[in-house]
Every structure is written in C-alpha cells, then in structure tokens.
C-alpha cells in the first residue's frame, strides 16, 4: 500500500501543483504544508506505538544517534568498500534527477513559453511513464537481462534523455526525451536500490 500511495502522489502531484498555481501562485506551497500537517496529526492520533514499554526512556546517546541520518552512520561505521561506491552513485543519481526537476520549469518557460500548468502536465506524463515502468515492466526486464545490466541501461537511457531535453527544441522530441527520462530513472532507481540492499549486512 505504501508503494501504491507513493506512485499515486508522484503522478497526481505535478498536475495538481499546476492546477493550484492557476488559481493562486501561493497554493502549491500552502497545499503540501496543509497535507503534511494533517498527516502528522493523523499519525499522532491513530498510529499505534511500534515499541513496547519494555524499551523504557531513550538514553541521550540513542537520541543523538537517531538525529543523524542513517547514511552518515554507514559512512562512519561501514567497512565494505562497495557500500561507499553505492552511496557515491546514489548521490549522483538523486542530484541529477533533482536538478532536472528544479531547472526544467525555467527551461520550458524560456524555450516553449510554458506556464506552471503546462509544466505540471508534462511532469505528470513523465511520472505516469515511470510508474508504469516500475509497476508493470521492471520485473520482466530484470528477468530478461538481470539487475546489473538493467542499471547500466537505465543510466545510459537517462543520460541520453537529459541531453535530449536541452538539445532538442521541438515538442515532439521533448516528449520522446521525457519518455526516455522516465523509463531510465523508473528502471534504474529501484533496481539500483535492490543491488545495494544485497551488499549490506547488519553490521553496516
């Protein structure tokens, strides 16, 4: 259910953001804040505590450790060199995709004259393709070529698509580049995460 909820929000989020911007430029910022606040209240009221009373009060060391992101503890205590390589690659993957999300609205407005609604619809198209890739295609592709080959293919396709986003100035080619970007990252991220989980052990 959690995976389904994530995919739904990824698909409807850009379209909803564009529609809200058309009503008022502040609504795309206010709406997520309201939803997050509602989720926090619902979690506090309705989700049961997962730890029993036998755990008692948390010690200061435990509290401090919980405030440090898990990847940092892996960097501090890990001794498997492959863990560091995977984390390094994770950094590049998410920075690359985050940069596309952050810069594409400016590029689309300058190149095609798109408003936030049009940008939201395009990102919805990208999200739908990514959701189909992860929900329907990825299992079959792993069965055909294996996880390492699929990761390499996903990196290559996403890289070519990112170059295409700025090199190709027609709407038709932009749609093809968006398709490649969605398919590449849609296949790459979960497969890469799966490979990473297989090299991690409890000590790390």
């Amino acid at each position: 259910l959690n995976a389904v909820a994530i995919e739904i929000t990824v698909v409807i989020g850009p379209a909803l953001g564009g529609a809200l911007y058309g009503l008022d430029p502040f609504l795309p910022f206010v709406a997520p804040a309201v939803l997050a606040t509602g989720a926090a209240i619902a979690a506090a009221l309705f989700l049961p505590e997962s730890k029993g009373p036998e755990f008692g009060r948390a010690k200061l060391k435990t509290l401090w450790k919980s405030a440090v992101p898990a990847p940092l503890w892996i960097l501090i205590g890990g001794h498997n060199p492959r863990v560091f390589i995977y984390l390094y690659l994770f950094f590049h993957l998410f920075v690359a995709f985050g940069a596309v999300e952050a810069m594409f609205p400016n590029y689309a407005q300058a190149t095609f004259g798109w408003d936030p609604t049009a940008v939201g619809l395009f990102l919805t198209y990208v999200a739908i393709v990514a959701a189909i890739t992860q929900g329907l295609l990825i299992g079959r592709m792993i069965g055909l070529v294996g996880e390492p080959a699929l990761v390499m293919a996903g990196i290559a396709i996403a890289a070519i698509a990112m170059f295409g986003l700025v090199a190709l100035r027609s709407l038709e080619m932009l749609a093809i580049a968006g398709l490649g970007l969605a398919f590449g990252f849609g296949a790459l991220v979960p497969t890469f995460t799966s490979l990473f989980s297989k090299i991690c052990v409890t000590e790390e």
Side-chain angles (χ1 to χ4, degrees), residues 87-181:
L87 290 177
Y88 175 76
L89 294 175
F90 262 122
F91 172 79
H92 282 279
L93 292 177
F94 287 108
V95 167
F97 191 71
V100 171
E101 288 183 314
M103 298 305 297
F104 178 77
N106 295 328
Y107 168 76
Q109 194 279 329
T111 305
F112 302 106
W114 285 5
D115 61 9
T117 301
V119 172
L121 291 175
F122 180 81
L123 293 179
T124 300
Y125 155 70
V126 171
I128 290 174
V129 175
I132 292 174
T133 301
Q134 294 181 5
L136 300 178
L137 302 179
I138 193 167
R140 299 176 183 179
M141 292 188 294
I142 291 175
L144 288 174
V145 302
E147 289 181 335
L150 186 57
V151 167
M152 296 301 297
I155 292 175
I157 293 172
I160 293 171
M162 283 189 283
F163 279 112
L165 284 176
V166 295
L168 307 174
R169 300 304 178 97
S170 70
L171 293 177
E172 294 80 10
M173 298 308 294
L174 182 67
I176 295 175
L179 177 67
L181 183 71

Side-chain angles (χ1 to χ4, degrees), residues 71-81 83-84 203-204:
L72 292 182
W73 287 117
I74 295 176
L75 288 174
I76 294 172
H79 56 269
N80 186 341
V83 170
F84 298 101
E203 290 76 16
E204 296 170 339

Side-chain angles (χ1 to χ4, degrees), residues 21-115:
Y21 185 91
L23 297 175
D24 188 295
F26 291 101
L27 285 180
F29 301 95
V30 174
V34 172
L35 291 174
T37 302
I41 294 173
L45 294 178
F46 302 112
L47 289 183
E49 174 58 59
S50 60
K51 294 184 177 181
E54 67 275 6
F55 284 88
R57 295 177 61 86
K59 297 181 180 179
L60 183 61
K61 180 180 178 180
T62 304
L63 180 62
W64 162 249
K65 191 172 182 178
S66 66
V68 179
L72 292 182
W73 287 117
I74 295 176
L75 288 174
I76 294 172
H79 56 269
N80 186 341
R82 290 187 298 172
V83 170
F84 298 101
I85 295 174
Y86 272 88
L87 290 177
Y88 175 76
L89 294 175
F90 262 122
F91 172 79
H92 282 279
L93 292 177
F94 287 108
V95 167
F97 191 71
V100 171
E101 288 183 314
M103 298 305 297
F104 178 77
N106 295 328
Y107 168 76
Q109 194 279 329
T111 305
F112 302 106
W114 285 5
D115 61 9

